[in-house]
Amino acid sequence: MSCLGKMERIFIDFDGVIVDSNKFKETAIETSIIKLLGKNKKNTEAINYFNLNAGISRNLKLSKFFKKEDISKILKIYNEECLDFFSKVYPTKGFREFLDHIKCRINNVKFYVLSGGEKGEIEFFLKKNLLFDYFEEILASEKNKFDHLVEKDVSENDIFIGDSNNDLKAALKINIKFILFKKYKSLKSFPSKEFIKKHVFLETDDFKSLIKEIAL
């Protein structure tokens, strides 16, 4: 993996990469919708769609099924649960060590969070865990991931670390290397084996294993 020594910018997904939150969020959105609107076919379809499309703005996903006023009520419940969750959890295994490892070996490398989540939640989590200052910027749900990457004018020396099918699609569309995280994945949004084999630059379990695999 010596080519990774040329890295200039590393874009890192949040849920399922920086924090083990996929399963929590799948349960939280189900609880939020059913608590407010009950259990029926449409609501089940909305929950399934929401969880299959990890990495996309929560508001955008819900807008396919619910009117604006109901979305606001669902997200009030969901957002409160998310903030409570992020106040209690810690970064995934080896994350801080990975950031320090890269910074010590590659001059001027820049880190970005690239997520479909809410910027305020991500900022809250990073500050709570004394990680905020590692990052140039939090690129969150105000735009989709592909548009964020386009705006940053990514190059072959940039890398995206993610864990979902939509993450991989964004990397392919913009043509940058993609590292796939597996340990904290959601089976609902994870890429197929065939898609991984064709397009993933590197598969890894977590940041601790990634440090060993990139061999910088």
Side-chain angles (χ1 to χ4, degrees):
M1 298 298 166
S2 59
C3 61
L4 294 186
K6 298 178 182 178
M7 286 185 289
E8 295 177 356
R9 292 176 294 182
I10 304 176
F11 298 87
I12 309 174
D13 182 37
F14 185 66
D15 294 301
V17 179
I18 294 175
V19 62
D20 182 9
S21 53
N22 282 324
K23 291 181 177 62
F24 158 75
K25 285 194 167 182
E26 289 173 359
T27 301
I29 194 60
E30 181 175 2
T31 301
S32 301
I33 291 172
I34 291 174
K35 183 176 181 180
L36 182 68
L37 300 171
K39 192 169 185 178
N40 56 47
K41 184 178 179 181
K42 186 187 84 167
N43 293 349
T44 299
E45 287 176 356
I47 292 163
N48 289 337
Y49 180 84
F50 190 99
N51 292 330
L52 281 168
N53 287 280
I56 296 176
S57 160
R58 60 191 66 168
N59 190 78
L60 183 62
K61 289 186 285 189
L62 292 175
S63 69
K64 293 184 176 291
F65 297 89
F66 305 108
K67 54 191 179 182
K68 190 173 182 179
E69 52 265 41
D70 284 338
I71 293 172
S72 295
K73 293 175 184 176
I74 292 167
L75 289 182
K76 184 177 187 299
I77 300 169
Y78 181 74
N79 294 347
E80 287 173 357
E81 291 205 22
C82 286
L83 278 174
D84 181 63
F85 176 81
F86 291 130
S87 72
K88 298 173 181 176
V89 296
Y90 298 95
T92 55
K93 191 174 183 179
F95 181 53
R96 190 186 305 273
E97 292 81 355
F98 170 79
L99 297 175
D100 288 334
H101 180 84
I102 296 296
K103 277 196 171 291
C104 284
R105 288 161 177 78
I106 305 175
N107 291 330
N108 302 316
V109 68
K110 294 180 179 179
F111 297 110
Y112 296 81
V113 175
L114 179 60
S115 174
E118 296 301 298
K119 188 172 184 177
E121 292 173 4
I122 298 167
E123 183 174 329
F124 169 77
F125 177 84
L126 294 177
K127 286 182 175 178
K128 179 183 79 76
N129 289 286
L130 305 179
L131 292 164
F132 184 75
D133 290 340
Y134 281 92
F135 291 90
E136 293 293 312
E137 194 175 352
I138 298 170
L139 309 173
S141 62
E142 66 275 8
K143 294 179 184 175
N144 65 52
K145 293 181 181 181
F146 173 73
D147 287 344
H148 276 306
L149 291 170
V150 169
E151 189 174 83
K152 291 301 174 187
D153 193 24
V154 295
S155 75
E156 61 182 7
N157 293 327
D158 298 325
I159 285 178
F160 181 18
I161 303 173
D163 72 319
S164 73
N165 195 51
N166 282 320
D167 291 342
L168 178 51
K169 285 180 178 178
L172 284 174
K173 197 172 179 182
I174 201 70
N175 196 29
I176 61 170
K177 292 182 181 70
F178 183 76
I179 294 176
L180 179 68
F181 258 48
K182 299 184 291 185
K183 187 170 184 177
Y184 313 104
K185 67 186 177 185
S186 163
L187 293 176
K188 295 178 180 179
S189 59
F190 200 66
S192 68
K193 288 182 180 179
E194 183 179 354
F195 201 38
I196 293 169
K197 187 176 181 180
K198 284 183 179 179
H199 301 296
V200 168
F201 173 69
L202 173 66
E203 293 180 67
T204 193
D205 284 323
D206 55 28
F207 285 105
K208 189 172 182 179
S209 63
L210 182 57
I211 292 170
K212 296 176 182 178
E213 287 161 352
I214 59 178
L216 290 175

